[in-house]
Amino acid sequence: MDSVTSETATGSAEELRAQFLAVRALSLDLVRGLSEADATAQSMPDASPAKWHLAHTSWFFETFLLRDHVPGYRLQDPRWAYLFNSYYEAEGPRHPRPQRGLLTRPSLAEVIDYRLRVDETLLEAMDIVAERCPQLLALGLNHEQQHQELLLTDLKHLFFHNPLSPAAWAEGPGNGGPHYVQAAGWLPQAEGLVSIGAAGNGFAFDCEGPAHLHFLRPHALADRPVTNAEWFDFIDDNGYATPSLWLSDGWAWVNAQSVEGPLYWRRDGRDWEQFTLSGWHHVDPAAPVAHISLYEADAFAAWAGARLPTEQEWEAAAQQMNPAEGVQLDAAGPVQPRFLAESGGMFGNVWEWTGSPYRPYPGFRAAAGAVGEYNGKFMNGQFVLKGGSCATPRGHVRASYRNFFEPHQRWQFTGLRLAKDV
Ligand SMILES: [Fe+2]
């Protein structure tokens, strides 16, 4: 597996066990308050039930580590490969994604038991894993972290569609507003040749490489993401009803879907409320706007007389920043983008749309075998997002990280930062 940098999951078998236990424990913490039904229902084809996330991440470890690398290992239940394989053609046929919510069996308890048995076996086999496939362990852990974020965003989408407006966590997002936010400032950025992509220090997904040179023209980036207050102005200025601001596909989408604001927003008299994992709350004007599509981000940028950054502009600006800073996921609890008194960092809070299509970097080669399907086959029709969000497990993201979604999708914590030519 040469397409994933092999340095991570670094350390002794004992250190790998500790990393493994920490990641696996967070997934269970996230579902601790969920009922069997909460964990089983599916709100749309793009989203998956919490139970499915728990099982699929375990299937990944069981298949690509235990089955493939631990001599004599026997699958817990061979039927579960059909249920919990996501999209790996090389692993054979699978249950249709839009029907994951129909899996009332196995029960949540059986899935958790499956997880624990996979954990137990993998912990016992960690010496073998450390010796033979530490890079696959790193991939499995980073994969599970991706699913932790999806579990939260999928749960939010599910609860939003329940008229009882359930809250995963009772307390609010704890923003302590209202806040006064200064107008965004423009920060001139590096121009000329810059190095883009993962250079091999620590784990990176295959799509982050190879590292290569890229030429940047003179440009500036906003010193913070676009806020909800600025989004109010966009709405009040008829941004959603002004076709000249929109990409053609975006204008068709706005009209077909009758979009009048970000996902999870509703009017409350003259104010706006938004649905969160802690129920309905007033929209904090000072917090970064979230749950917007690429179409909305692009239209807003046009309205503001700016543009979206390219992924290379974003990455070059973030290379000297600490990716472990910012509003990110540390533990189970309220998850919501928040106002930050100090701007400057580019990580956490909201994934920032770029105007760059998700395509292979020069020289990209997918790995051989099933794990080669991890990223490469999705490199069409999607755009790159950078920086991680409030639902991204801290430690997961970095400057070269390339998230990707289709231009209409907005159930992730997606926002934007403006860019302009200078
Ligand atoms: Fe997955």
Side-chain angles (χ1 to χ4, degrees):
M1 231 200 52
D2 56 3
S3 68
V4 174
T5 341
S6 59
E7 278 84 356
T8 354
T10 42
S12 64
E14 207 45 52
E15 287 165 331
L16 298 189
R17 282 190 189 94
Q19 290 177 30
F20 178 74
L21 282 169
V23 172
R24 296 288 279 174
L26 178 58
S27 299
L28 289 184
D29 283 346
L30 294 178
V31 303
R32 210 165 293 284
L34 301 188
S35 70
E36 177 84 35
D38 291 338
T40 302
Q42 179 180 25
S43 60
M44 63 170 170
D46 286 343
S48 298
K51 187 171 75 179
W52 189 90
H53 286 297
L54 295 178
H56 163 71
T57 47
S58 303
W59 167 85
F60 192 97
F61 283 113
E62 186 185 39
T63 304
F64 299 126
L65 281 92
L66 295 179
R67 184 198 67 185
D68 289 354
H69 291 280
V70 176
Y73 179 78
R74 289 183 55 204
L75 295 179
Q76 309 268 352
D77 187 333
R79 298 173 304 169
W80 289 22
Y82 181 83
L83 300 183
F84 302 125
N85 172 7
S86 51
Y87 53 67
Y88 296 89
E89 299 290 343
E91 289 296 327
R94 70 211 71 94
H95 185 68
R97 178 179 182 131
Q99 294 174 25
R100 290 175 184 166
L102 301 181
L103 297 175
T104 55
R105 314 281 178 91
S107 69
L108 177 59
E110 286 175 299
V111 164
I112 289 175
D113 185 58
Y114 170 55
R115 279 183 71 86
L116 295 176
R117 283 184 287 144
V118 167
D119 289 355
E120 202 177 323
T121 316
L122 198 50
L123 288 168
E124 281 171 12
M126 199 61 85
D127 289 328
I128 299 172
V129 167
E131 169 81 24
R132 295 181 56 165
C133 54
Q135 69 274 41
L136 276 175
L137 182 75
L139 182 64
L141 293 175
N142 280 273
H143 171 252
E144 178 131 2
Q145 290 179 315
Q146 291 183 315
H147 278 277
Q148 288 165 347
E149 178 155 11
L150 291 169
L151 189 157
L152 289 169
T153 52
D154 293 354
L155 182 66
K156 182 172 182 177
H157 193 263
L158 176 69
F159 280 2
F160 171 70
H161 285 88
N162 186 327
L164 297 179
S165 306
W169 290 281
E171 65 266 50
N175 213 23
H179 307 283
Y180 172 75
V181 186
Q182 290 191 319
W186 289 105
L187 301 175
Q189 301 294 325
E191 55 184 272
L193 279 176
V194 293
S195 181
I196 293 298
N201 302 316
F203 176 82
F205 287 107
D206 56 0
C207 63
E208 296 171 55
H212 57 283
L213 292 176
H214 182 89
F215 189 84
L216 294 181
R217 293 170 49 81
H219 67 286
L221 295 179
D223 61 1
R224 59 162 173 75
V226 169
T227 63
N228 289 321
E230 290 163 336
W231 210 267
F232 296 155
D233 293 341
F234 175 65
I235 293 172
D236 291 345
D237 200 32
N238 287 320
Y240 281 96
T242 306
S244 58
L245 297 175
W246 292 80
L247 294 166
S248 176
D249 285 353
W251 185 241
W253 173 81
V254 159
N255 286 290
Q257 307 291 323
S258 302
V259 178
E260 296 179 332
L263 182 62
Y264 302 131
W265 282 29
R266 72 180 180 195
R267 280 191 191 277
D268 174 33
R270 295 189 55 198
D271 290 335
W272 288 93
E273 290 184 331
Q274 62 185 334
F275 187 73
T276 75
L277 277 163
S278 307
W280 286 97
H281 291 274
H282 281 293
V283 175
D284 178 357
V289 69
H291 299 298
I292 54 166
S293 65
L294 172 97
Y295 298 137
E296 290 165 284
D298 191 84
F300 181 95
W303 172 79
R307 62 171 172 80
L308 297 181
T310 66
E311 64 168 314
Q312 292 86 4
E313 289 169 344
W314 196 104
E315 181 176 336
Q319 280 170 348
Q320 301 310 317
M321 297 177 184
N322 182 356
E325 291 180 350
V327 179
Q328 300 183 47
L329 183 70
D330 293 302
V335 176
Q336 188 64 17
R338 293 199 296 273
F339 164 74
L340 294 177
E342 302 288 328
S343 65
M346 294 173 74
F347 292 96
N349 250 339
V350 289
W351 287 102
E352 299 179 11
W353 283 109
T354 72
S356 300
Y358 181 57
R359 290 286 296 150
Y361 282 162
F364 171 79
R365 291 282 179 275
V371 291
E373 298 183 49
Y374 200 104
N375 283 309
K377 71 182 187 181
F378 299 108
M379 289 175 172
N380 77 295
Q382 314 209 51
F383 282 80
V384 173
L385 300 100
K386 302 290 283 185
S389 82
C390 56
T392 306
R394 194 178 302 281
H396 178 69
V397 78
R398 62 205 148 259
S400 60
Y401 200 104
R402 308 172 79 199
N403 200 354
F404 52 92
F405 282 97
E406 294 173 23
H408 70 281
Q409 290 177 314
R410 55 183 193 159
W411 91 109
Q412 301 302 301
F413 288 94
T414 47
L416 81 154
R417 176 185 305 264
L418 295 176
K420 67 176 182 182
D421 301 319
V422 294

